[in-house]
Amino acid sequence: MSEQPSVILIPGGARGIGRALVDGFVRRGWRVAFGDLDRETGTALARTLGERAHFIPADVAVEDDVRHLVAEAVRWGGRLDAVINYAGLANPVTGPIENLSLADWQRRLDVNLTGTFLVSREAVPHLRRSRGAVVNLASTRALQSEPDTEAYAATKGGV
């Protein structure tokens, strides 16, 4: 009897580096569940990659979305072996800090930092069963910020 392929969850997997992660794991034989806010791009990517990829629309800043994301990944894959927390607001530039609204600051915290916590918290019980792992990706800006990127740098430093 052959062993079931490993299952990984990648929030933020529809575009950019997240998309490259999804594609790379599918090519290496993993089953990849991935989430994103971009339904159109996520659906198209899953269709292109075939049966080893499963798109789940989700906002990692919304607790109920994260519960659904993890539960659906486990339902689809039958297990969960790994999570790569990659979801985040990618454009680090918010302009001068004196012009940064509290709402924009909070949204970055909610997605980039709290989202990492929520996904990890929901996934850990499944990962304990499979002896799996969580990988949290940050940014060089966690250690070396640049002007007008204070909110992004703060969240990546937190990760």
Side-chain angles (χ1 to χ4, degrees), residues 83-131:
V83 172
I84 297 179
N85 278 310
Y86 192 70
L89 300 176
N91 183 358
V93 178
T94 54
I97 195 162
E98 64 269 21
N99 297 333
L100 179 60
S101 72
L102 180 57
D104 286 343
W105 168 267
Q106 191 64 56
R107 179 66 180 158
R108 278 180 166 53
L109 286 175
D110 290 346
V111 173
N112 296 4
L113 185 56
T114 302
T116 296
F117 159 71
L118 291 173
V119 171
S120 297
R121 185 186 68 187
E122 290 301 314
V124 160
H126 305 284
L127 295 169
R128 285 193 200 285
R129 284 192 285 281
S130 67
R131 299 179 52 89

Side-chain angles (χ1 to χ4, degrees), residues 16-28:
I17 293 170
R19 180 184 181 120
L21 290 168
V22 170
D23 184 64
F25 276 92
V26 166
R27 289 178 189 272
R28 285 166 182 79

